[in-house]
């Protein structure tokens, strides 16, 4: 079979509802990697809390973080298609100054390895590090370089209003996406950046035609990637918006190994 690029979201797609990989999923993805296919994580998560998942899969493929803002290969430091798109740190400082007016509960500026937060009282979630040494208070003194993304936690019913207000002020500079599953998050990245940008870049590098690209997702931040792929696959548990643009959907949810079942049948593993 010709080489395929298999772009997989993590939360709500590859991971179960406990944010874990099942044995079946690991074995399926390793088989595809051994067969020469490119199994590429494409996630809203930062590098710091997705590299352990990548290592657990034990695959040799590129990885995409921050909804397409950071494309790299963990095993190849000089990977040619790699890129890193950043945000102007002044946007972080302005949002921080207006956090209360915007009804933002928590604002985090994310770097490749560290995060800078408006409060050290972080939710108990796998999205955030347990080691306080990896966390700094968001301030001009600490955040001296442009961040890769801004993570915003707020009440779910206020997400759309906050997104609209951010886009009204910074629409020429940023894109806003939703991800996070059980802990919904707004993520702000550079304008024009989304998951499909990285999928396109990597597929061109490996000379993989569009019809050999599969993409799996469940939330708003997967939209462009699902539409771009030759076969866009919505998880059974995906939002109606994602199901509306997908070519097909899995028979089972993320908590039922829906991704692994689909890939096993598709590639006759």
């Amino acid at each position: 079979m010709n080489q395929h690029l298999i772009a997989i979201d993590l939360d709500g797609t590859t991971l179960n509802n406990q944010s874990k990989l099942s044995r079946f999923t690991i074995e399926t993805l390793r088989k595809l990697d051994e067969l020469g296919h490119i199994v590429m994580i494409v996630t809203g998560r930062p590098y710091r809390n997705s590299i352990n998942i990548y290592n657990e899969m034990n695959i040799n493929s590129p990885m995409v973080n921050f909804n397409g803002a950071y494309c790299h290969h963990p095993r190849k430091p000089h990977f040619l298609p790699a890129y890193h798109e950043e945000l102007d740190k002044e946007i972080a400082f302005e949002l921080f100054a207006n956090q209360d007016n915007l009804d933002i509960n928590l604002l985090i500026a994310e770097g490749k390895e560290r995060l800078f937060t408006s409060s050290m009282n972080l939710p108990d979630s796998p999205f955030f590090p347990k080691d306080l040494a990896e966390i700094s208070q968001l301030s001009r003194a600490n955040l001296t370089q442009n961040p890769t993304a801004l993570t915003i936690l707020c009440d779910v019913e206020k997400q759309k209003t906050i997104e609209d207000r951010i886009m009204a002020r910074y629409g020429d500079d940023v894109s806003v996406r939703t991800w996070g599953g059980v802990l919904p998050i707004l993520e702000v990245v550079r304008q024009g950046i989304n998951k499909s940008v990285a999928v396109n870049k990597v597929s061109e590098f490996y000379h993989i035609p569009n019809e050999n690209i599969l993409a799996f997702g469940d939330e708003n931040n997967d939209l462009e990637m699902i539409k771009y792929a030759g076969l866009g696959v919505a998880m059974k548990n995906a939002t109606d918006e994602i199901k509306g643009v997908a070519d097909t959907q899995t028979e089972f949810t993320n908590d039922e190994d829906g991704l692994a079942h689909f890939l096993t049948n598709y590639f006759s593993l």
Side-chain angles (χ1 to χ4, degrees):
M1 181 177 286
N2 293 331
Q3 186 180 47
H4 285 63
L5 172 61
I6 305 162
I8 54 173
D9 172 53
L10 287 182
D11 298 282
T13 301
T14 305
L15 304 179
N16 62 23
N17 289 346
Q18 289 72 50
S19 297
K20 302 293 184 181
L21 289 167
S22 73
R23 175 51 52 187
F24 181 31
T25 296
I26 292 172
E27 290 174 352
T28 301
L29 298 178
R30 283 181 183 169
K31 284 180 184 177
L32 291 167
D33 180 74
E34 291 167 2
L35 288 170
H37 300 296
I38 308 299
V39 179
M40 184 168 73
I41 293 172
V42 188
T43 179
R45 286 185 179 220
Y47 172 80
R48 59 178 168 77
N49 66 4
S50 52
I51 185 58
N52 59 320
I53 298 168
Y54 177 93
N55 289 335
E56 189 176 2
M57 289 179 182
N58 193 24
I59 56 177
N60 184 25
S61 298
M63 181 163 67
V64 179
N65 298 104
F66 300 108
N67 285 320
Y70 181 37
C71 176
H72 58 110
H73 197 307
R75 304 191 194 282
K76 297 179 180 178
H78 304 294
F79 184 56
L80 288 177
Y83 66 82
H84 184 200
E85 299 287 349
E86 298 175 328
L87 282 172
D88 185 343
K89 63 181 180 293
E90 291 301 321
I91 296 175
F93 297 139
E94 286 188 22
L95 290 177
F96 185 30
N98 291 284
Q99 180 174 326
D100 291 339
N101 293 333
L102 288 169
D103 289 324
I104 293 173
N105 298 332
L106 184 67
L107 175 66
I108 298 171
E110 294 268 13
K112 288 193 292 185
E113 301 286 351
R114 296 186 60 80
L115 58 82
F116 304 84
T117 175
S118 62
S119 170
M120 300 301 284
N121 185 23
L122 299 178
D124 183 12
S125 166
F127 299 153
F128 305 118
K130 304 296 184 185
D131 185 358
L132 294 180
E134 299 178 24
I135 305 170
S136 298
Q137 190 77 35
L138 178 57
S139 69
R140 287 188 177 275
N142 290 332
L143 182 62
T144 58
Q145 297 181 326
N146 288 332
T148 308
L150 302 177
T151 300
I152 294 172
L153 274 71
C154 61
D155 297 338
V156 174
E157 64 272 14
K158 295 178 181 177
Q159 282 188 333
K160 185 63 169 64
T161 300
I162 294 172
E163 178 180 345
D164 289 344
R165 293 179 68 183
I166 290 174
M167 291 303 295
R169 174 71 176 86
Y170 306 105
D172 291 338
D173 301 307
V174 306
S175 295
V176 183
R177 289 293 181 270
T178 305
W179 67 277
V182 295
L183 184 64
I185 285 170
L186 286 178
E187 185 163 76
V188 183
V189 294
R190 188 168 175 174
Q191 200 279 330
I193 289 298
N194 58 65
K195 292 184 175 185
S196 72
V197 173
V199 173
N200 174 64
K201 186 118 177 169
V202 172
S203 65
E204 287 187 345
F205 176 75
Y206 286 106
H207 304 292
I208 297 176
N210 186 262
E211 60 265 27
N212 288 348
I213 300 173
L214 284 74
F216 295 80
D218 70 306
E219 287 196 66
N220 169 270
N221 63 329
D222 301 312
L223 184 70
E224 292 87 355
M225 177 175 74
I226 294 289
K227 292 173 67 176
Y228 175 81
L231 185 66
V233 185
M235 300 300 295
K236 183 179 180 180
N237 51 284
T239 64
D240 289 340
E241 184 179 19
I242 293 300
K243 290 178 179 178
V245 301
D247 299 301
T248 187
Q249 70 179 62
T250 62
E251 183 179 356
F252 303 102
T253 69
N254 68 301
D255 210 37
E256 301 167 323
D257 291 324
L259 172 72
H261 281 293
F262 188 99
L263 291 170
T264 295
N265 292 332
Y266 187 88
F267 289 98
S268 301
L269 298 179

